Amino acid sequence: MADIALDALRAGASQLRPGSRHNLLPSLVEGQPVVADVWIDGSLGCVLVVHRRGDGFVSEELYYSMRNDDGDWLSCEHVSGSILGLAPQMSEALKDVPGGSSLAVVSESEALLHTGRREAEDGYEPVRTLTVLVGEDADRIAIEDHWQGSATPGGQAGMDVRSPLILLVLLPGRQLRVSALHREGSYFSAIGDPMEVFSSEP
């Protein structure tokens, strides 16, 4: 799976095509690990890989890597893993996100990773990651990036929903405001309340 994650970083999010979200979990019936999402933040890259367990449920594995001075990705390292409790043949699990929301956290973890940033002591920082289940009505995800203690908003990003599971990665001091959007012609409208997620340390 580390090689699958590395290939995903090299390809970027482009390998996740629009419409593939409906095929991701059912494709696990064949037993092959599948990349659910890729998160790249500068020289730090994280990949969410899901696979089918022997009991039929879906498990996630998180991998990360760093770019070298030439911009190439180093070998991926395993960070964490957990059971998601989703059966790949149960498409109903994707229609109604827990709590009736369009976004729901299904797992989270924190690990001390080498980020290489100048702010990091000895290059290592606590990095928080969250796996979020996206409701079927969501066509696009909007992410506003803020830094704790800052009065001005940070960058904003948007991405088409290509997977029922998305990965959020928070470095220390980071605050993300995540919104699910539904496409109506050439416009997008928000679905439900936005999700606010924070890093564990300022």
Side-chain angles (χ1 to χ4, degrees):
M1 280 189 276
D3 290 338
I4 292 175
L6 182 58
D7 289 341
L9 284 175
R10 290 169 174 166
S14 61
Q15 70 164 346
L16 301 173
R17 301 179 305 278
S20 62
R21 63 181 299 184
H22 301 290
N23 300 321
L24 186 139
L25 291 183
S27 69
L28 296 177
V29 174
E30 299 177 1
Q32 296 298 317
V34 178
V35 172
D37 200 10
V38 176
W39 180 284
I40 297 176
D41 189 344
S43 60
L44 176 68
C46 295
V47 181
L48 180 67
V49 180
V50 293
H51 61 99
R52 187 190 184 201
R53 290 163 43 93
D55 57 12
F57 287 100
V58 176
S59 181
E60 66 171 2
E61 308 295 338
L62 179 65
Y63 289 85
Y64 101 104
S65 178
M66 294 286 298
R67 295 185 194 269
N68 60 23
D69 293 338
D70 295 327
D72 298 323
W73 292 106
L74 302 175
S75 298
C76 284
E77 297 183 21
H78 185 259
V79 178
S80 63
S82 64
I83 300 173
L84 294 176
L86 302 173
Q89 63 271 29
M90 294 174 59
S91 60
E92 293 297 319
L94 306 180
K95 294 183 178 179
D96 298 314
V97 171
S101 174
S102 295
L103 299 168
V105 176
V106 293
S107 72
E108 60 180 291
S109 64
E110 184 174 303
L112 195 63
L113 300 181
H114 186 274
T115 65
R117 297 196 311 151
R118 288 177 296 178
E119 301 90 331
E121 183 177 352
D122 297 326
Y124 287 86
E125 296 181 277
V127 177
R128 184 185 181 200
T129 59
L130 301 96
T131 299
V132 177
L133 182 64
V134 180
E136 195 170 60
D137 289 338
D139 298 304
R140 190 168 177 81
I141 299 296
I143 299 177
E144 298 178 33
D145 190 354
H146 303 258
W147 290 99
Q148 294 177 19
S150 174
T152 58
Q156 298 186 15
M159 59 182 181
D160 291 335
V161 176
R162 295 179 170 90
S163 167
L165 298 169
I166 64 171
L167 178 64
L168 302 177
V169 179
L170 294 95
L171 294 168
R174 180 154 291 175
Q175 173 185 345
L176 300 179
R177 181 182 176 92
V178 185
S179 304
L181 308 176
H182 177 69
R183 181 181 284 106
E184 298 176 354
S186 58
Y187 298 94
F188 290 93
S189 60
I191 309 173
D193 296 326
M195 173 186 294
E196 301 272 1
V197 292
F198 304 83
S199 61
S200 61
E201 295 186 7

